[in-house]
Amino acid sequence: MSRLLRLRALAAALAIAFTAALSAAAMPAAQAATTTCSGTGTIPAGDYMIQANEWNSTAQQCITYNGGTGWTVSTANFNLSGGAPATYPSIYKGCHWGLCTSNNSFPIQMSKLGSATTSWSTTQPSSGAYDVSYDIWFNSTPTTTGQPDGTEVMIWLNSRGGVQPFGSQTGTSNAAGLNWNVWTGQQTSWKIISYVLNPGATSVSNLDLKALFQDAVSRGSINPSNYLLDVEAGFEIWQGGQGLGTNSFSVTATTAGSGGDTTPPSVPANLAVTGTTSSAASLSWSPSTDNVGVAGYRVYRNGVQVGTTAGTTFTDTGLSASTQYTYTVAAYDAAGNVSAPSSGVTATTASSGGGGGSGCTAAYSVTNQWSTGFTANVTVTNSGTAPTNGWKVAWTWGGNQQITSVWNGVLAGSGQSSVAVTNAAYNGSIAAGGNTSFGFQAGYSGTNGSPTLTCTAS
């Protein structure tokens, strides 16, 4: 080949390479998959949150997020038979146990719900034992960081392996233009109603959730004064599970009436850091105002929401020692209007190994009582100067009382005469000045006097 031809060939090759480079630069980079193998792991997905939510097993489960609202159970091989499921990996919008997604319209009081629709497309493997279900929570107040006390609405699109909803079948329904078998049951402190699609499906498009909620109201399963907190969609898994996935998911909800409340609360003022430890930061601020009423506050750490509270104080835990964090707070009302965020404040945690005393107090209150039984709540407050590792509340009944069930704590013994309740695996750590709570149901005869509690912390 002549020198001229070689130069022309080289120029052509360079031109092709340059064009290819420009094209590659113009194309967006492919999003790398994100995987969590933690049983309590979460992955933000825009205005939604994906949660591993493995709560009844220690077998390995991994969740992989590929972008948009798509995710897959990439590792799972559960092997439970009967009882509660091993896990409920899911995607949600709203507030789940105080962890709230961004730009959501919840909470909305059921009596003021204008519309609620959802679409969901799934991948369902042909083996295993699981259900494909929505899990939707109502609560008596606009916010809670623990177990909601209203109604759990489950909507089963499909299932395999012979699994069944909680409770028993009590009827049928054609709400939202589809055929459902209706199951109902009562947990210790909340109701469950399940709608089982007949026949099952792998997807729904623009499903009218409000129609199902109204059906549940008519059956006495939802109190119209309760608040819709979130909408979750995922898979309760007993056996297998690998390959289950969400291709796409969406949910929208509005408050009734175009003339409804559209005014957000005022911006919280005077946000301040009231204390720090090596693993926690405590905040306070002045209350916001609203034309109807403030329902609660959302707390953000470094721009990411870390919790909600109905009051004007908050303790953020699980932090790293000797680290600087920036916090803001926004107020919201029952119609879902959210204020602009407050001015930011900076908290720097203490160095580790700083020591500090430990101690706790316990406050007892009866939350409901009838002729032969009652429910009560105990608030455990860290009165020391360092986070607790665990706690124990003890008392002796003054009458003929006996505990029958406990939540958010572990009962030692029979619950009669001398009683001791220790922390659950997830609430033993309380920041200095912070608190947690547990509750129980008990029977009694005669009088039902309040006991004197003692609290010890480690």
Side-chain angles (χ1 to χ4, degrees):
M1 181 183 296
S2 71
R3 181 174 179 273
L4 179 59
L5 289 177
R6 285 199 300 270
L7 290 173
R8 287 176 175 173
L10 177 60
L14 288 172
I16 293 172
F18 183 67
T19 301
L22 285 176
S23 299
M27 294 177 61
Q31 180 174 343
T34 301
T35 298
T36 178
C37 296
S38 166
T40 57
T42 58
I43 303 174
D47 291 343
Y48 297 85
M49 182 71 75
I50 299 166
Q51 57 179 352
N53 204 15
E54 183 180 352
W55 60 275
N56 192 37
S57 173
T58 57
Q60 186 179 54
Q61 171 187 265
C62 296
I63 305 300
T64 298
Y65 168 57
N66 292 310
T69 53
W71 57 278
T72 304
V73 182
S74 50
T75 300
N77 189 23
F78 296 104
N79 190 25
L80 298 185
S81 57
T87 181
Y88 180 63
S90 50
I91 184 170
Y92 72 91
K93 176 179 279 191
C95 295
H96 173 87
W97 267 248
L99 180 61
C100 301
T101 59
S102 59
N103 300 319
N104 77 79
S105 56
F106 305 106
I108 302 177
Q109 197 168 27
M110 178 60 208
S111 61
K112 299 177 181 178
L113 183 64
S115 65
T117 58
T118 181
S119 297
W120 185 23
S121 171
T122 69
T123 297
Q124 303 173 17
S126 58
S127 60
Y130 59 84
D131 64 54
V132 181
S133 61
Y134 287 86
D135 198 13
I136 303 169
W137 292 94
F138 287 81
N139 194 63
S140 61
T141 58
T143 182
T144 178
T145 57
Q147 171 67 55
D149 61 5
T151 303
E152 179 182 9
V153 179
M154 298 203 71
I155 303 171
W156 286 37
L157 298 192
N158 217 343
S159 64
R160 65 171 297 109
V163 300
Q164 293 182 331
F166 178 82
S168 60
Q169 185 174 343
T170 54
T172 60
S173 173
N174 63 354
L178 299 170
N179 296 320
W180 310 91
N181 295 329
V182 182
W183 293 58
T184 56
Q186 177 68 52
Q187 289 281 16
T188 53
S189 59
W190 75 97
K191 296 179 180 180
I192 298 179
I193 184 168
S194 301
Y195 290 86
V196 181
L197 185 61
N198 184 22
T202 59
S203 65
V204 288
S205 179
N206 295 319
L207 175 65
D208 186 354
L209 294 176
K210 182 181 177 181
L212 290 163
F213 299 157
Q214 289 174 322
D215 183 88
V217 169
S218 71
R219 297 171 189 269
S221 290
I222 293 179
N223 184 334
S225 68
N226 283 0
Y227 294 83
L228 172 61
L229 298 184
D230 78 338
V231 176
E232 309 173 23
F235 313 101
E236 290 186 312
I237 307 172
W238 283 260
Q239 298 175 14
Q242 184 165 312
L244 283 163
T246 287
N247 305 315
S248 60
F249 173 72
S250 66
V251 60
T252 59
T254 63
T255 304
S258 58
D261 180 16
T262 60
T263 303
S266 64
V267 177
N270 302 318
L271 177 62
V273 179
T274 57
T276 59
T277 67
S278 61
S279 61
S282 296
L283 309 168
S284 70
W285 56 91
S286 299
S288 296
T289 58
D290 185 68
N291 62 320
V292 176
V294 175
Y297 300 87
R298 299 176 180 176
V299 181
Y300 299 85
R301 181 210 310 143
N302 297 339
V304 177
Q305 186 169 318
V306 292
T308 61
T309 178
T312 56
T313 61
F314 184 84
T315 298
D316 187 24
T317 59
L319 307 178
S320 299
S322 303
T323 304
Q324 181 175 290
Y325 299 95
T326 299
Y327 291 93
T328 56
V329 176
Y332 63 88
D333 61 22
N337 302 303
V338 183
S339 75
S342 68
S343 299
V345 295
T346 298
T348 302
T349 52
S351 60
S352 59
S358 62
C360 63
T361 61
Y364 177 95
S365 63
V366 173
T367 55
N368 191 20
Q369 182 170 311
W370 54 99
S371 61
T372 59
F374 66 99
T375 58
N377 186 77
V378 177
T379 300
V380 181
T381 300
N382 181 356
S383 58
T385 57
T388 63
N389 294 315
W391 47 263
K392 175 182 177 181
V393 178
W395 68 90
T396 299
W397 290 119
N400 188 25
Q401 297 105 326
Q402 181 172 7
I403 293 176
T404 56
S405 62
V406 175
W407 49 94
N408 296 331
V410 179
L411 175 68
S414 66
Q416 190 173 20
S417 186
S418 296
V419 176
V421 177
T422 57
N423 59 275
Y426 50 83
N427 64 356
S429 177
I430 309 174
N435 64 71
T436 188
S437 65
F438 67 89
F440 62 85
Q441 182 169 320
Y444 77 99
S445 60
T447 60
N448 182 30
S450 298
T452 299
L453 309 185
T454 61
C455 185
T456 55
S458 57

